[in-house]
Amino acid sequence: MIDIVVNGEPQKTPEGQTVMGLLGQLELDPARVAVELDRRIVKQPHWPETILRAGAQLEIVQFVGGG
């Protein structure tokens, strides 16, 4: 397990985890979020191949619908 930070909160995730895998771990719908990794936006097509390293800092923003 490695330590990362998601939206300011410490988290543990398996070594070799990808952005896409983390979204599944957090039970977030990939169609409704944007991801910033270490202050850089990660585009959705790259999520399955972007591996998280120990100490990674992520900001995950969820889109909310409504009117």
Side-chain angles (χ1 to χ4, degrees), residues 20 23-24 27-35 44 47 60-65:
M20 183 65 88
L23 294 176
E27 299 181 357
L28 296 173
D29 181 355
R32 301 186 60 84
V33 299
V35 178
Q44 191 170 8
W47 293 353
I60 301 175
V61 178
Q62 297 185 63
F63 301 113
V64 179

Side-chain angles (χ1 to χ4, degrees), residues 42-66:
V42 181
K43 294 187 179 184
Q44 191 170 8
H46 299 286
W47 293 353
E49 66 197 40
T50 303
I51 296 174
L52 303 175
R53 309 265 183 241
Q57 303 251 344
L58 293 104
E59 290 294 327
I60 301 175
V61 178
Q62 297 185 63
F63 301 113
V64 179

